[in-house]
Amino acid sequence: MTLLCLLPGCRFVRVARDGPGALTVLAQARHDHARCPTCRTLSTSVHSRYHRRPTDLPVSGNAVRLQLAVRRFYCRDPACPRHTFAERFPHLLARHAQRTRRLVQAQARTGLALGGQPAARLLAHLAMPTSATTLLRTIRSMPLPAVDRPQVVGVDDWARRKGRTYGTIVVDLERRRPIDLLPDRSAETWAAWLRREPQIQLVARDRSTEYARGTTLGAPEAVQIADRWHLLLNTRQMIERWLARVHPRLKLLPPVGTLIPSTRRTKAYPRAPAEALVRAAAVGRWEVLYDVVRRRRAAGQSLRQINRETGLARATVRKFAFAERFPRHGWRGPGRSILDPHLDHLHARHREGCENAMQLWRELRRLGFPGTAKQVRRWLSERRTRPAKTTIRRLQVPSVVAPTAPTSSPPLPSPKQLSWHLLREPEDLDADAAAAVARVLQDDEAARVVDLGRQFCRIVRRGCGGAQAEPGIIPAFDAWLADARVCGVRVVERFAVSLDQDGAAVRAGLRLPWSSGQDEGQVNRLKLLKRSMYGRAKLDLLRRRFLFAA
């Protein structure tokens, strides 16, 4: 039993069973003397005795409670303010503690890994029962792990409440571990943190103006690096903003080449009339808001003022203010359907003249189709050349089969989807994406914007990989800036101006191998922890759990 229940500073006396699944271990101090905690005088004069009954780690699945015989001694130093004192067991118990240090540590580690409620449920089965509140209180009392002073850090924001409040995460890029969570993403908070770490030499960040200003205030000597992934993301967002303004005009462009009939679905299956009415009403409400924004903008109001008075999101206000027409949603393509793998068979049977939905469904069932006849009937309803036999007489109106070859321009993808296609290299596009890009490039302004966007993406990708950038990359970036600032497209010119204002960080990002990519991975882990702590994820508790888990 001594080997199974090692008690630092104590001598094992005996063990007794205290009911099913519970043991009581009797122990006492090894020495016959103790030191006064105030004057450190050694004493052997016993004043009295009492017992402490703390909980300890379980043994072989049995809960263990210690019964320690504690002695109270006289202090023999006349000048000491203490007259008596109790002997202590610093390696086993804290003062007034009801749990041993090793039990507290085991419970805290379980709580750090699982969270309060899940850990409390598990510990009850491991003979270490405690409440979730006690676990969280224990985690809050643990000292944070000591870390080396960082010199290269990455900074990014994370959502405490998405769209409302945000915090800041700081990562040591050399050691690949998070080192702090800050309560907001303001420049002042970030600058104050940097002033406490004067040894920092390099800061990798996104293109947030708050982090740029905070780094300049808190660490003016540090090198700032604009993350290359965010540069590519900002380029795509710039293309998307331009497309949102000109998308109605681009939809009028004719397709390039001959349109080939396809059996692929180009739209979703028909929905109920009530859903169409709800969608039309929603579009009508947005059109009213679009007119309101355009009128206010024409009256000279700023975008910030419109955002404040209308309550619309800033991105929505900006999109409506610069759009030539109401920006209707572009074609996004239909979602996946379990009927899609069997469309070729359905089209072939329909060309043979089969318009019996139940017969088609039975054939598909033999081919492995797991759906119901309703899905086949819905597909067939748009392609019937004659009413079904089960249709009531007053509704038997012959329908006209839609032509197999398209007679009008195919739908153009939405601005967001189209922006991805326009920035990819031509050899990386599939047939549908290449046709959409070729159709858009018929517009002269679109050709200029896409060419500049692709050039900048190539420059950024040339700066990725290796400690040394490709020779000539900085002159290529400077030449691109000069061309973009006089291209005649307002969105591209403003993007070039913003890059020029952050030019030192952008050039450092193209030259140096560091990036804030590690921040994105740590934010992903932080979100997992935050959601697993739903309802209890206050910043101090989340910060401790996140840093201990690192």
Side-chain angles (χ1 to χ4, degrees):
M1 189 63 192
T2 304
L3 296 177
L4 293 177
C5 189
L6 183 63
L7 302 175
C10 298
R11 182 171 61 244
F12 173 77
V13 178
R14 64 186 179 87
V15 61
R17 180 165 292 280
D18 190 14
L23 300 176
T24 298
V25 177
L26 283 73
Q28 60 187 14
R30 290 181 179 274
H31 307 290
D32 60 352
H33 59 270
R35 289 186 181 275
C36 175
T38 302
C39 64
R40 307 302 297 168
T41 301
L42 197 67
S43 175
T44 57
S45 302
V46 178
H47 172 272
S48 58
R49 290 177 173 83
Y50 66 95
H51 289 90
R52 293 179 64 178
R53 294 178 58 83
T55 307
D56 197 11
L57 286 175
V59 174
S60 299
N62 296 290
V64 173
R65 184 174 290 276
L66 302 180
Q67 184 171 327
L68 293 178
V70 183
R71 296 168 294 183
R72 181 171 287 277
F73 291 85
Y74 288 102
C75 181
R76 292 309 184 184
D77 186 353
C80 181
R82 287 180 181 267
H83 298 292
T84 63
F85 64 90
E87 61 184 341
R88 298 181 181 178
F89 309 91
H91 300 293
L92 180 65
L93 280 168
R95 286 188 66 192
H96 312 301
Q98 299 297 315
R99 298 174 293 167
T100 61
R101 293 184 185 275
R102 56 196 181 191
L103 175 61
V104 170
Q105 185 177 15
Q107 291 174 339
R109 289 294 177 184
T110 308
L112 286 171
L114 301 179
Q117 291 289 352
R121 290 193 293 267
L122 176 64
L123 290 171
H125 295 284
L126 298 180
M128 295 185 288
T130 187
S131 67
T133 303
T134 301
L135 278 175
L136 300 185
R137 188 174 63 249
T138 303
I139 292 173
R140 282 190 167 101
S141 65
M142 295 177 65
L144 289 173
V147 295
D148 297 327
R149 305 296 290 275
Q151 293 186 346
V152 181
V153 299
V155 60
D156 203 355
D157 59 356
W158 59 279
R160 298 177 64 180
R161 293 185 64 190
K162 189 170 180 64
R164 299 194 179 188
T165 56
Y166 287 82
T168 296
I169 181 174
V170 188
V171 178
D172 186 341
L173 298 183
E174 292 181 302
R175 298 173 182 85
R176 307 183 71 86
R177 61 174 298 161
I179 52 180
D180 210 347
L181 289 181
L182 305 182
D184 57 46
R185 56 179 178 181
S186 65
E188 290 73 19
T189 301
W190 174 231
W193 189 91
L194 287 173
R195 292 190 189 101
R196 297 193 297 269
E197 303 288 343
Q199 79 285 347
I200 288 180
Q201 301 176 0
L202 187 146
V203 177
R205 57 171 176 81
D206 57 17
R207 296 190 57 243
S208 166
T209 55
E210 285 294 294
Y211 290 143
R213 186 165 65 90
T215 306
T216 303
L217 292 175
E221 302 298 326
V223 177
Q224 299 186 42
I225 292 183
D227 181 63
R228 292 181 291 271
W229 181 85
H230 284 92
L231 291 175
L232 296 175
L233 174 66
N234 297 152
T235 307
R236 191 203 62 77
Q237 291 171 338
M238 178 267 294
I239 297 290
E240 183 180 353
R241 288 196 301 271
W242 172 79
L243 284 170
R245 181 173 60 85
V246 302
H247 199 260
R249 186 183 79 215
L250 298 179
K251 289 196 294 187
L252 301 178
L253 294 172
V256 177
T258 305
L259 297 178
I260 303 174
S262 174
T263 59
R264 286 184 54 188
R265 290 189 300 127
T266 58
K267 62 178 181 178
Y269 292 119
R271 301 299 179 187
E275 294 183 50
L277 291 176
V278 171
R279 180 177 177 82
V283 172
R285 290 193 296 270
W286 282 111
E287 287 179 341
V288 172
L289 292 173
Y290 168 76
D291 294 336
V292 170
V293 172
R294 295 287 290 182
R295 283 198 304 269
R296 288 175 176 269
R297 186 63 175 169
Q301 291 188 2
S302 65
L303 298 182
R304 188 180 297 274
Q305 184 179 1
I306 299 174
N307 160 242
R308 188 167 52 249
E309 294 182 1
T310 61
L312 294 172
R314 283 185 293 177
T316 304
V317 171
R318 187 185 302 111
K319 179 172 66 174
F320 284 176
F322 296 112
E324 299 173 353
R325 303 177 187 173
F326 175 69
R328 297 181 179 275
H329 289 302
W331 178 69
R332 298 183 181 180
R336 292 183 177 181
S337 169
I338 58 175
L339 198 60
D340 288 346
H342 306 280
L343 288 179
D344 291 337
H345 177 81
L346 290 175
H347 281 285
R349 294 288 288 128
H350 185 261
R351 285 193 295 269
E352 295 172 1
C354 180
E355 295 187 1
N356 188 323
M358 291 301 296
Q359 180 180 344
L360 292 174
W361 175 68
R362 284 190 289 268
E363 293 175 5
L364 294 185
R365 291 285 290 180
R366 289 194 291 269
L367 296 175
F369 176 62
T372 64
K374 181 180 179 180
Q375 293 161 302
V376 179
R377 193 179 298 112
R378 189 172 59 179
W379 175 87
L380 188 60
S381 63
E382 295 182 314
R383 295 164 176 80
R384 289 189 179 278
T385 57
R386 57 187 180 277
K389 294 181 179 179
T390 56
T391 306
I392 59 178
R393 186 177 299 277
R394 63 185 178 85
L395 296 179
Q396 289 186 1
V397 180
S399 58
V400 180
V401 180
T404 56
T407 57
S408 60
S409 300
L412 199 64
S414 65
K416 185 172 184 177
Q417 184 179 1
L418 190 55
S419 64
W420 286 104
H421 297 332
L422 293 178
L423 289 180
R424 294 173 65 187
E425 297 298 333
E427 58 270 15
D428 297 333
L429 299 172
D430 57 25
D432 293 336
V437 170
R439 179 179 170 187
V440 169
L441 292 182
Q442 295 177 97
D443 186 86
D444 293 336
E445 182 179 335
R448 292 200 306 274
V449 172
V450 172
D451 183 56
L452 288 170
R454 287 178 176 174
Q455 285 183 31
F456 184 68
C457 290
R458 295 188 192 110
I459 292 172
V460 174
R461 292 190 182 102
R462 283 168 54 193
C464 297
Q468 264 191 332
E470 186 176 328
I473 192 170
I474 302 303
F477 172 65
D478 294 335
W480 181 89
L481 271 183
D483 294 339
R485 297 186 68 167
V486 295
C487 68
V489 181
R490 182 180 178 184
V491 176
V492 181
E493 291 176 351
R494 293 178 63 182
F495 178 61
V497 169
S498 69
L499 288 178
D500 196 18
Q501 292 171 348
D502 202 20
V506 175
R507 291 179 178 86
L510 296 177
R511 287 187 297 105
L512 300 177
W514 301 103
S515 73
S516 61
Q518 293 183 44
D519 294 76
E520 303 296 338
Q522 296 292 347
V523 168
N524 193 38
R525 190 166 64 87
L526 177 62
K527 289 192 292 186
L528 175 64
L529 290 176
K530 183 169 71 75
R531 287 165 183 166
S532 69
M533 298 168 61
Y534 179 77
R536 303 299 292 270
K538 291 185 178 180
L539 181 63
D540 64 328
L541 185 60
L542 179 62
R543 178 172 177 263
R544 287 180 173 275
R545 188 179 178 193
F546 181 61
L547 296 181
F548 274 109

